[in-house]
Amino acid sequence: MTTATPSAPAAPTNRLGLTKQDYVGSKSTLCAGCGHDSITAQLINAAFEMNIEAYKVGKYSGIGCSSKTPAYFFNQAWGFNSVHGRMPSVATGAALANRELVNIGVSGDGDSMSIGIGQLMHMIRRNVPIIYIIEDNGVYGLTKGQFSATADLGSVLKHGTVNELPPIDPCTLALELGCGFVARSFSGDPKQMNAIMKAAMAHNGTCIIDVISPCVTFNNHDSSTKSYKNAKDHDFPLHELGFVQFNELEQVEIPAGESKVVTFPDGSKVSFRTLRDDYDPTDRFGAMKILHEGAEKGEFLTGLLYVDTSKPNIHATTHIVDTPLVHLNQATLKPGKDVLAKCMDELM
Amino acid sequence: MSTELANAHAAQDAKTLVNDFSIEIGTVNGSGSQTANSVLMRTIFLMGVPVSGKNLFPSNIAGLPTWFQIRANTKGYVARKHRVDLMICMNPETAKEDVLKLSDGAIVIYDEPLKLNTLRDDLIYYPVPFQKLVTASCPEPKLHKLVKNMIYVGVAGQMLGLDMIETKKAITKQLKGKQKAIEINQAAVDAGFAWAAENMPAQSRIKVVADDKTKGNIIIDGNAACALGAMFAGVQVVGWYPITPSSSLVESLIDYADEYRRDEDGKSTVAIVQMEDELASAGMVFGAGWAGARSMTSTSGPGISLMSEFIGLGYFSEIPGVFFNVARTGPSTGLPTRTMQGDIDICAKCSHGDTLHINLYPGNMTECFEFAYESFNLAERFQTPIFVVTDLDLGMQNWMSKPFTYPEGNFDRGKVLGEKELADMKDWGRYKDVDGDGIPYRTLPATPGGKGAYFTRGSGHNAMAQYSEKPEDYVALVDRLRAKYETAKSYVPKPILDDTGSKRGILAFGSSDPAVMEARDVLVDSFQKKTDYLRLRALPFTAEVDAFIKNSDVVYVVEQNRDGQMKALLREFYPQASMKFKSVLHYNGMALDAQTIVDQINAFEK
Ligand SMILES: Cc1ncc(C[n+]2csc(CCOP(=O)(O)OP(=O)(O)O)c2C)c(N)n1
Ligand code: SF4
Ligand SMILES: [Mg+2]
């Protein structure tokens, strides 16, 4: 179990004057050592560092161990633990109702790649602004360890059952659907998770983050491909990520040279120091190619796989007003008597 | 011609039905008959005679048979009429069947080459050379198929004594601004009229005489009326998935919102998204409702089935949302273009576990508008999904109505705490029953001040919105939800009661109303049987329903389904009166007609 450490009297504050303690949630009830808790911890760090106003966050989830975690971060945010696999539509409704909400969704590989795959795909297609984290352990944790659709071919369950079906890769799927922010990380790599989450917080569209997050109770044995050991052995970061928030740009210099820099609409920048070949995170076809090649070699390629900050999001495509819909008053929402009279006249 | 002539004379001897008859037109789906049928119906309407128009269409885009039924009735009876007085046969495929099903003495207008007059000799036949007339009136061959139908408008118009000035108005209205189309269609009507005047023997079996019973009225369908209600209720978020017969509800809303719900910059004050399915539509409704928006979806039975898991979540975690169910004939795909009151049970108790929902049953166009408007107030007041249950007959057919009255007053946004109220409170709890009415206070995401945040979940929770599996917390929660349902009794529309003191009760709801009203008159006029009538307009059952059941010796529950779903609900809530309820049922997909009710009540009383 990991939540943020209680703050000492002189705990550091962020730009909003909040301490990290202001970003924690209730105590986790997951198994000790569960990968999901490390992800929660990084969400707390990233939000603290990014000066996120927690009360403006909408936290959403489906059903599963992973989906319980929104209760474990951001006590000051509104949370919505919905139904299995169908959180994307709930988040879509909330995002449309109040376009100023910062949306964070936490799901599992079962929640997102089986029962909820349809909703996930359509949420990506509509580019709903949300940080959507898939805590990917290859099993259904909460229902006690059945295979999920991300389990690798040939991987073995605790009790010896072998998976004979090919996996669905959330990142390849998201790329195919034109997602403007696709990343993969590993719950054992806090530094990379932190950079990815911060970049996601600057993005204004759907961010799909697949985090390999071992289930210590049902899927952490050596023959599992989503165990800590296997993930550590096969994790190949594509690049070293540096994220610099817009208002810190003056103090920090973005490394030049071999690194590539992508700017987000709010001015924040993310830099990529390439580790493999000449990986370009703005090249969608290149990203697809390297993902497929990596899969064949049995590697987890981690990092920000693809980013495109220019895609219109659902607020643009529904042509709604700039003011959050929930802030509109009755005078704006209820047409006048003259309108009804006109409508009636047309029907006479 | 001589048989026809002889028949025409026979018709003259029979009693003339003035402003009281029904017309059925058999055509081919997609042949443009809808324009012709609307023009015919609207002409009668514009002449001041009450009408209704029902489209019996197949689940097909083009090529299958379709029928249109017009009922004109001076007293205002607009339910489907069992007997057809004038049949217009334009579809060669069904013409024979159409003629064989008629009662004797009916008039048949048909396309000459079909030679229908050999089928029976107890009908009055009028063959019309449609092809010849179209060719003469319309220079463009590719339009012939479409325009052919307008010819019968002219022929029937001449025969019935319709005022061609009103027909002209109806065409202009129907083809809004499309000048060329107006001219072509008008020419076809004129050709039909002129031919009939010259060649067709006169008849005096059915006639329209100008009246003043429709002045100031509108013609509308229930889906458009519901859409208007939602628009004036300020709906902000809509998630939907197309399904007959509900699609035109959101489609009408899209059209209305396009015109009347934009800001100065042309941006929309309502987000309408066609979702990937009904599960997603329901999820979107609750996501938006949770965030503080007025949200809705519209669907039919199959969609409600898919939504039912989410609806349980909305009920249990107390989130507002409006669900329009325009019911069709089920189960499964059933008869997707036919009507049924088949979702009474599923909407009353949608989802697993113990669930009871507030349902509204509009019975006419005004109520479609008003209940749609009110449903948003109820959803926010009670923080729960509200069902507005109509059906294909109300939703898609053409109904005459008084113009709607502007809904004055303010929206009821329910118990929502803002930053200021929260600041003054000591111990706010999301699910605390502070007022003793079962309705807790809620807050909306992004309320500043640091006090209102809470966690919404479909799992067990206590009054402070914390996860709980404690037996006492669960019982307290579901008992409070039940109390909330009790509170709703004083908020939902009360039933309409016509009490004659007969102790012979009829209880009906929704689209059954016109047929029930007509049946009651028939029961008095032909069988000297008075009835009391309670038209139910909502669930939960209110005190008026209690009293009605108590005061009646027998309650005929009229409904359009096989199993008597409303009767079962009544028996559950009024077990002591269980034996008083008798089912009057109709479930063949057609709209209910008065005769069916009269016959079944008479059978009970033999
Ligand atoms: C409609 C429905 N079907 C089945 C379930 C049972 N169920 C709960 S969690 C879960 C799987 C969760 O797996 P995953 O999303 O991978 O989460 P994890 O527990 O592994 O983090 C299932 C099948 C449910 N809650 N709802
Ligand atoms: S069962 Fe697995 S996924 Fe669930 S809490 Fe335990 S370790 Fe985590
Ligand atoms: Mg899992």
Side-chain angles (χ1 to χ4, degrees):
Chain A
M1 193 254 50
T2 321
T3 46
T5 36
S7 58
T13 56
N14 64 9
R15 208 177 296 275
L16 300 170
L18 299 172
T19 66
K20 208 174 273 180
Q21 191 60 28
D22 292 318
Y23 289 89
V24 304
S26 333
K27 194 167 167 292
S28 169
T29 59
L30 302 183
C31 308
C34 175
H36 301 350
D37 279 330
S38 323
I39 303 171
T40 299
Q42 282 322 308
L43 263 174
I44 291 169
N45 285 337
F48 170 75
E49 289 161 26
M50 287 292 283
N51 306 298
I52 298 288
E53 295 187 277
Y55 79 93
K56 286 192 177 163
V57 173
K59 310 177 285 183
Y60 315 93
S61 62
I63 301 292
C65 296
S66 35
S67 290
K68 289 184 176 189
T69 63
Y72 313 146
F73 60 86
F74 306 179
N75 257 343
Q76 293 182 19
W78 274 255
F80 196 152
N81 180 205
S82 66
V83 293
H84 192 20
R86 267 64 58 75
M87 168 261 280
S89 61
V90 173
T92 303
L96 284 170
N98 187 345
R99 60 185 298 165
E100 282 175 3
L101 286 177
V102 176
N103 302 301
I104 299 182
V106 184
S107 176
D109 43 321
D111 203 60
S112 283
M113 289 296 114
S114 288
I115 191 167
I117 195 167
Q119 292 217 342
L120 176 75
M121 289 168 70
H122 286 275
M123 180 191 74
I124 293 173
R125 179 170 171 257
R126 295 187 185 103
N127 203 17
V128 177
I130 185 171
I131 300 166
Y132 190 98
I133 300 171
I134 301 165
E135 304 190 340
D136 189 351
N137 52 17
V139 288
Y140 291 3
L142 193 60
T143 50
K144 298 190 185 293
Q146 303 82 358
F147 275 126
S148 87
T150 66
D152 287 302
L153 196 61
S155 70
V156 184
L157 277 188
K158 217 175 165 183
H159 304 296
T161 317
V162 179
N163 176 37
E164 298 182 61
L165 296 174
I168 301 174
D169 174 26
C171 293
T172 314
L173 182 70
L175 271 175
E176 180 59 39
L177 293 166
C179 185
F181 189 109
V182 183
R184 173 148 40 230
S185 195
F186 167 42
S187 68
D189 184 349
K191 195 166 153 249
Q192 187 193 48
M193 269 198 291
N194 182 271
I196 289 174
M197 283 174 186
K198 288 202 285 195
M201 286 169 185
H203 187 67
N204 193 15
T206 304
C207 305
I208 295 298
I209 311 177
D210 178 41
V211 186
I212 307 306
S213 173
C215 169
V216 292
T217 305
F218 297 110
N219 205 18
N220 196 33
H221 48 95
D222 286 351
S223 46
S224 157
T225 55
K226 289 201 165 57
S227 62
Y228 276 114
K229 182 172 183 320
N230 193 73
K232 278 220 175 75
D233 292 350
H234 295 83
D235 175 10
F236 291 101
L238 286 164
H239 33 228
E240 276 170 12
L241 289 175
F243 179 79
V244 188
Q245 208 184 336
F246 172 58
N247 40 32
E248 285 173 354
L249 276 174
E250 279 166 33
Q251 300 144 38
V252 186
E253 215 175 293
I254 289 284
E258 76 274 40
S259 69
K260 179 165 176 119
V261 175
V262 173
T263 309
F264 288 94
D266 71 348
S268 301
K269 291 182 193 300
V270 63
S271 69
F272 302 87
R273 188 185 298 276
T274 305
L275 294 181
R276 276 171 82 100
D277 304 328
D278 270 333
Y279 188 70
D280 177 0
T282 61
D283 172 8
R284 188 158 152 238
F285 296 120
M288 285 187 180
K289 185 161 175 276
I290 200 165
L291 272 175
H292 284 292
E293 285 171 359
E296 275 185 10
K297 288 188 232 159
E299 300 174 347
F300 290 125
L301 297 180
T302 59
L304 184 42
L305 300 165
Y306 178 66
V307 63
D308 171 9
T309 59
S310 68
K311 236 185 115 181
N313 68 19
I314 194 170
H315 297 137
T317 52
T318 47
H319 308 284
I320 51 171
V321 292
D322 300 333
T323 315
L325 291 173
V326 291
H327 293 171
L328 301 178
N329 58 21
Q330 181 174 320
T332 310
L333 294 171
K334 184 175 175 181
K337 269 189 173 154
D338 54 320
V339 171
L340 184 63
K342 196 164 164 232
C343 294
M344 291 299 102
D345 214 49
E346 281 164 7
L347 294 163
M348 286 195 183
Chain B
M1 267 295 158
S2 67
T3 12
E4 280 85 25
L5 264 177
N7 279 333
H9 286 303
Q12 243 138 39
D13 298 338
K15 195 175 129 224
T16 305
L17 300 169
V18 179
N19 297 351
D20 180 17
F21 55 85
S22 71
I23 307 176
E24 186 166 309
I25 304 142
T27 53
V28 176
N29 203 21
S31 66
S33 54
Q34 217 154 341
T35 310
N37 296 334
S38 297
V39 167
L40 190 55
M41 175 187 69
R42 199 170 269 278
T43 302
I44 301 171
F45 168 76
L46 289 173
M47 286 178 72
V49 181
V51 282
S52 66
K54 293 191 198 298
N55 202 356
L56 301 179
F57 60 105
S59 183
N60 152 273
I61 300 306
L64 287 184
T66 169
W67 294 267
F68 191 76
Q69 300 176 329
I70 297 174
R71 169 117 195 237
N73 183 277
T74 185
K75 286 192 203 159
Y77 296 145
V78 285
R80 187 171 70 89
K81 194 179 164 189
H82 212 68
R83 204 194 129 93
V84 173
D85 301 301
L86 167 61
M87 181 79 219
I88 302 179
C89 297
M90 299 301 287
N91 185 354
E93 238 177 86
T94 62
K96 196 174 157 199
E97 227 178 286
D98 288 343
V99 164
L100 291 177
K101 77 180 180 200
L102 294 169
S103 311
D104 62 354
I107 301 173
V108 185
I109 291 178
Y110 66 96
D111 202 1
E112 200 166 29
L114 295 177
K115 301 213 186 331
L116 300 178
N117 54 345
T118 55
L119 290 170
R120 291 167 61 168
D121 55 14
D122 58 346
L123 303 175
I124 310 160
Y125 294 103
Y126 290 93
V128 179
F130 281 101
Q131 200 49 50
K132 226 163 69 193
L133 291 171
V134 179
T135 318
S137 80
C138 178
E140 289 181 52
K142 67 174 196 289
L143 294 176
H144 283 176
K145 207 177 109 200
L146 292 176
V147 164
K148 193 170 171 185
N149 290 311
M150 290 309 280
I151 303 274
Y152 69 66
V153 177
V155 172
Q158 198 277 338
M159 166 189 272
L160 296 169
L162 296 189
D163 184 343
M164 283 297 115
I165 295 169
E166 303 297 358
T167 306
K168 193 170 186 168
K169 283 190 209 157
I171 292 174
T172 314
K173 178 127 207 157
Q174 190 69 28
L175 300 166
K176 266 188 232 147
K178 292 177 226 147
Q179 201 44 47
K180 181 152 181 256
I182 292 174
E183 280 163 25
I184 290 172
N185 282 288
Q186 183 67 51
V189 172
D190 292 345
F193 190 92
W195 178 87
E198 210 166 298
N199 301 289
M200 226 168 56
Q203 62 81 32
S204 55
R205 177 104 181 95
I206 49 178
K207 282 283 173 214
V208 177
V209 172
D211 202 342
D212 63 354
K213 301 245 168 65
T214 67
K215 219 169 158 198
N217 281 319
I218 58 168
I219 291 184
I220 192 171
D221 58 73
N223 284 349
C226 286
L228 276 172
M231 176 175 77
F232 282 93
V235 64
Q236 289 153 304
V237 177
V238 184
W240 71 294
Y241 191 77
I243 182 169
T244 304
S246 90
S247 302
S248 65
L249 198 160
V250 175
E251 283 163 346
S252 300
L253 180 59
I254 291 170
D255 288 347
Y256 280 127
D258 205 36
E259 209 159 329
Y260 303 117
R261 288 287 301 275
R262 287 175 183 280
D263 73 354
E264 317 79 58
D265 304 326
K267 290 192 175 170
S268 185
T269 61
V270 51
I272 305 179
V273 182
Q274 185 184 319
M275 299 301 280
E276 58 272 27
D277 56 31
E278 287 86 350
L279 288 83
S281 303
M284 185 164 153
V285 167
F286 288 124
W290 172 82
R294 298 197 135 192
S295 61
M296 63 165 263
T297 187
S298 175
T299 187
S300 193
I304 295 287
S305 295
L306 284 178
M307 290 173 179
S308 67
E309 185 196 18
F310 254 128
I311 285 166
L313 171 75
Y315 172 78
F316 195 57
S317 60
E318 301 180 69
I319 304 171
V322 173
F323 292 76
F324 289 94
N325 179 9
V326 188
R328 64 190 214 184
T329 311
S332 191
T333 302
L335 308 177
T337 60
R338 296 294 148 84
T339 196
M340 183 180 187
Q341 293 179 324
D343 301 338
I344 299 309
D345 185 56
I346 197 174
C347 290
K349 298 182 170 185
C350 193
S351 211
H352 50 283
D354 288 324
T355 46
L356 286 170
H357 304 291
I358 298 171
N359 277 235
L360 304 182
Y361 304 122
N364 52 50
M365 294 302 104
T366 302
E367 288 178 0
C368 283
F369 174 70
E370 290 177 355
F371 291 9
Y373 179 88
E374 187 55 26
S375 64
F376 290 87
N377 289 337
L378 288 168
E380 293 194 317
R381 167 68 27 197
F382 289 91
Q383 304 173 19
T384 195
I386 304 288
F387 290 89
V388 182
V389 183
T390 71
D391 57 24
L392 184 143
D393 193 30
L394 281 170
M396 286 189 75
Q397 306 299 19
N398 303 280
W399 299 93
M400 205 179 85
S401 170
K402 291 251 170 305
F404 306 150
T405 316
Y406 188 73
E408 299 287 355
N410 291 328
F411 295 160
D412 180 357
R413 305 301 307 255
K415 299 183 186 179
V416 179
L417 300 172
E419 185 181 3
K420 274 198 212 79
E421 292 100 322
L422 283 164
D424 296 340
M425 284 178 93
K426 263 219 304 284
D427 51 353
W428 173 69
R430 168 65 180 97
Y431 297 113
K432 271 192 185 171
D433 185 5
V434 181
D435 303 325
D437 57 3
I439 310 170
Y441 284 80
R442 65 179 184 134
T443 60
L444 305 181
T447 304
K451 278 185 95 175
Y454 72 98
F455 201 84
T456 301
R457 45 165 67 82
S459 43
H461 43 271
N462 61 19
M464 300 306 287
Q466 289 152 335
Y467 182 80
S468 170
E469 293 177 1
K470 286 190 188 142
E472 60 275 23
D473 283 340
Y474 177 80
V475 171
L477 168 52
V478 294
D479 284 352
R480 181 176 56 73
L481 292 175
R482 188 68 174 78
K484 189 157 88 166
Y485 190 68
E486 287 300 310
T487 303
K489 289 182 174 179
S490 48
Y491 283 77
V492 297
K494 293 189 187 322
I496 305 275
L497 177 64
D498 180 18
D499 186 0
T500 63
S502 73
K503 300 214 169 270
R504 182 193 280 118
I506 293 178
L507 186 152
F509 54 93
S511 66
S512 301
D513 185 49
V516 172
M517 296 210 286
E518 188 176 345
R520 292 181 72 215
D521 287 353
V522 175
L523 283 167
V524 170
D525 295 347
S526 309
F527 304 96
Q528 294 74 50
K529 287 182 184 173
K530 273 202 204 166
T531 55
D532 307 329
Y533 176 29
L534 180 124
R535 182 160 66 82
L536 188 74
R537 302 199 297 170
L539 292 179
F541 298 122
T542 58
E544 294 77 13
V545 183
D546 307 353
F548 179 73
I549 293 168
K550 201 159 165 232
N551 294 338
S552 303
D553 294 334
V554 56
V555 177
Y556 295 110
V557 183
V558 178
E559 53 188 314
Q560 301 173 48
N561 57 61
R562 182 195 67 183
D563 293 342
Q565 297 181 19
M566 182 60 79
K567 187 180 78 175
L569 271 182
L570 286 161
R571 284 197 162 151
E572 179 181 337
F573 283 86
Y574 300 98
Q576 71 286 1
S578 195
M579 299 318 289
K580 284 187 186 178
F581 303 116
K582 307 253 182 279
S583 274
V584 172
L585 302 173
H586 173 81
Y587 49 90
N588 63 5
M590 296 292 137
L592 179 62
D593 63 295
Q595 198 58 49
T596 299
I597 301 171
V598 171
D599 291 349
Q600 289 189 36
I601 289 181
N602 279 337
F604 274 117
E605 300 192 356
K606 242 193 211 132

